[in-house]
Amino acid sequence: MTGIILLAAGESARLGQPKQLVGWQGKPLLRHAAETAISSGIGPVIVVLGAVDQTCRDCLSGLDLSIVHNPDWKQGMGSSIAAGMNAARDWPLDGVMIMLCDQPLVTPQLLQKLVSKSAGHPIVHTSFKGQAGPPVWFSREYFDRLGTLSGSAGAKPLILNEPNRVPIDFPDAEWDVDTLEDLAALDANAGPD
């Protein structure tokens, strides 16, 4: 079983407003991502919150997931991964998936594909233009290292230093939301049908 750690603790400084709460197809990005994770059916979903905790909790109301508050969210993504990983130890997991709330074109099928390619591999990650990125699946052998991460680099050094990692092409990784321009481009190019 794979646990999904959905990172949503940052303050979205470049966007100028909490990206977790920005609307996408009629719902906040965070709720959209959480519903995607749950719909994948691959395992328990843990959402890591920080900067806008209570408002994010409200937008997740009624969903079957666990919420963890990262008091050290200002230290960067690594601390949020560690907080999520330490909460994930409550389940008998074979792996964990790290995903972000600002990639609205991630689908349940993509998450399932990453898990389906994981047998016998330590890391399976998405790839866009040759760059490794989230969502990314880690085997149990990485749990201790994930649980002690800190800083803004997140898990990227772990991914890049693993010679046996498996990349999965994900062209839609282009569409993440860091600025208002990103959001406008996403709506223009990958919006509702």
Side-chain angles (χ1 to χ4, degrees), residues 24-172:
W24 166 251
Q25 297 187 349
K27 62 185 72 169
L29 282 175
L30 175 56
R31 188 170 182 100
H32 176 82
E35 289 177 353
T36 297
I38 292 166
S39 295
S40 73
I42 61 178
V45 177
I46 300 160
V47 180
V48 183
L49 300 179
V52 285
D53 187 293
Q54 189 57 55
T55 312
C56 288
R57 284 176 191 267
D58 293 344
C59 99
L60 295 169
S61 177
L63 297 181
D64 182 19
L65 48 74
S66 298
I67 296 175
V68 175
H69 177 77
N70 174 19
D72 301 320
W73 63 267
K74 286 184 180 178
Q75 295 179 13
M77 188 183 295
S79 68
S80 289
I81 293 172
M85 184 67 247
N86 289 319
R89 294 178 190 274
D90 292 342
W91 287 274
L93 302 176
D94 302 314
V96 293
M97 181 88 64
I98 307 292
M99 65 180 286
L100 309 180
C101 73
D102 68 349
Q103 293 181 298
L105 300 187
V106 167
T107 63
Q109 292 77 23
L110 175 67
L111 301 178
Q112 292 163 356
K113 183 175 183 180
L114 288 164
V115 173
S116 75
K117 302 290 185 182
S118 66
H121 299 289
I123 296 176
V124 183
H125 62 86
T126 58
S127 178
F128 172 63
K129 293 186 177 178
Q131 297 294 311
V136 56
W137 178 92
F138 291 91
S139 69
R140 188 172 190 81
E141 69 186 83
Y142 273 92
F143 285 11
D144 287 343
R145 281 173 276 185
L146 291 169
T148 58
L149 286 175
S150 61
S152 59
K156 193 145 201 169
L158 296 180
I159 299 168
L160 297 180
N161 289 326
E162 175 50 67
N164 297 315
R165 58 190 167 101
V166 176
I168 302 291
D169 191 43
F170 179 45
D172 285 338

